[in-house]
Amino acid sequence: MPDRLIRVNAYTTFDLLDGFARGHDFEEEAAAVLNVTAPREDPEEVTLELELDNTGLEALPPHAEGVTLSATEASELAGELEKYAARVEAAQGED
């Protein structure tokens, strides 16, 4: 992924996931990097960043998306992820 905006290294949360971008008149798929960070000293927020491989996109210029979450919001998101992961795991176990 040339010209990455998100630094990718051994500490990156996820790299090379299946990603997509959707707009009113387009939908594209590309490899994606997803990272979760917080400052090392005196953290006040959690940052969630997503970047699609710009070599696989035609409708979007190179960019990264991000949100900042409070500790409460990050915990709520973690709970939602666990809930939906359990649903997928249960459905896969029923096959």
Side-chain angles (χ1 to χ4, degrees):
M1 220 166 106
D3 301 323
R4 281 188 171 146
L5 300 169
I6 296 175
R7 173 185 267 171
V8 177
N9 58 35
Y11 302 105
T12 305
T13 308
F14 293 105
D15 58 325
L16 302 181
L17 297 171
D18 294 330
F20 66 91
R22 184 180 308 135
H24 288 293
D25 57 350
F26 72 91
E27 184 164 339
E28 295 187 296
E29 296 180 1
V33 173
L34 179 65
N35 197 33
V36 180
T37 60
R40 290 180 189 245
E41 296 183 25
D42 301 320
E44 294 182 6
E45 62 191 22
V46 175
T47 301
L48 178 64
E49 299 173 298
L50 176 68
E51 180 179 3
L52 299 180
D53 181 353
N54 60 43
T55 62
L57 301 175
E58 295 178 14
L60 293 173
H63 71 288
E65 304 288 341
V67 296
T68 54
L69 305 165
S70 68
T72 301
E73 291 166 332
S75 293
E76 184 178 340
L77 176 59
E80 289 293 303
L81 289 169
E82 287 179 354
K83 178 175 76 174
Y84 287 102
R87 182 185 297 176
V88 171
E89 288 171 347
Q92 291 176 349
E94 294 176 1
D95 291 343

